[in-house]
C-alpha cells in the first residue's frame, strides 16, 4: 500500500533496495525531508511522500483549509468578544460558539502542523 521499495537506516547510513536486495551507503537522514514520520514502539519510520503524492498540491490544499479554519475561528472570536452577543444570546448559543471556536482553533493548528511537516 505504501509502495515501499527501499529501507534506509538513518543512524547507519545504509539503504537497502527491497526489490533487488542491494545495499548502498547514503548520507544519513537524506530521506527525512518530505517524508511522513511514524513512531511505533519507540521506533521511527520515515515514508517518503514525494513520489506518492503531489507535495505542492497538498501544501496548497492544507494552506487553503488552514486559512478557512483560521477565518472562521477569528469570526467566532469576534462574536464572543461582543458583549451584545454574550449578554443577549441564549446560553446554549454562547456555549456552542465557544465550542465551535475551540474546534476551529484545534483544526487550524492541526492543519498548520501538517503543512509544516511537509516542509
Amino acid at each position: 500500500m505504501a509502495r515501499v521499495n527501499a529501507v534506509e537506516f538513518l543512524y547507519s547510513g545504509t539503504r537497502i533496495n527491497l526489490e533487488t536486495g542491494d545495499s548502498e551507503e547514503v548520507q544519513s537522514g537524506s530521506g527525512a525531508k518530505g517524508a511522513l514520520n511514524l513512531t511505533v514502539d519507540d521506533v521511527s519510520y520515515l515514508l517518503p511522500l514525494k513520489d506518492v503524492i503531489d507535495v505542492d498540491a497538498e501544501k496548497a490544499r492544507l494552506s487553503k483549509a488552514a486559512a478557512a479554519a483560521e477565518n472562521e475561528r477569528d469570526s467566532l472570536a469576534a462574536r464572543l468578544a461582543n458583549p451584545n452577543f454574550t449578554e443577549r444570546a441564549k446560553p446554549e448559543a454562547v456555549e456552542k460558539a465557544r465550542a465551535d471556536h475551540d474546534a476551529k482553533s484545534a483544526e487550524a493548528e492541526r492543519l498548520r502542523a501538517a503543512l509544516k511537516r511537509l516542509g
Side-chain angles (χ1 to χ4, degrees):
M1 282 193 321
R3 294 184 238 169
V4 176
N5 60 7
V7 175
E8 183 177 324
F9 297 91
L10 292 176
Y11 297 110
S12 69
T14 301
R15 179 183 181 94
I16 299 174
N17 185 318
L18 298 176
E19 295 170 353
T20 65
D22 296 335
S23 66
E24 63 179 312
E25 296 299 315
V26 294
Q27 180 180 351
S28 184
S30 63
K33 186 164 175 92
L36 175 65
N37 185 347
L38 302 170
T39 302
V40 179
D41 295 330
D42 295 328
V43 177
S44 292
Y45 301 93
L46 295 173
L47 298 175
L49 297 176
K50 68 180 180 182
D51 297 330
V52 178
I53 65 170
D54 182 346
V55 175
D56 291 334
E58 184 64 7
K59 285 181 181 180
R61 185 192 70 78
L62 288 170
S63 292
K64 184 177 177 182
E70 289 164 349
N71 286 340
E72 200 165 335
R73 174 202 63 198
D74 295 345
S75 174
L76 289 162
R79 185 181 304 160
L80 290 166
N82 183 348
N84 287 331
F85 172 72
T86 56
E87 292 170 5
R88 294 182 183 176
K90 292 182 180 180
E92 302 86 38
V94 174
E95 192 56 39
K96 181 174 181 346
R98 285 191 179 117
D100 290 347
H101 176 268
D102 292 345
K104 288 299 173 182
S105 294
E107 180 182 354
E109 193 173 306
R110 179 184 57 80
L111 291 166
R112 289 292 176 196
L115 187 59
K116 185 177 178 181
R117 283 192 303 269
L118 282 178

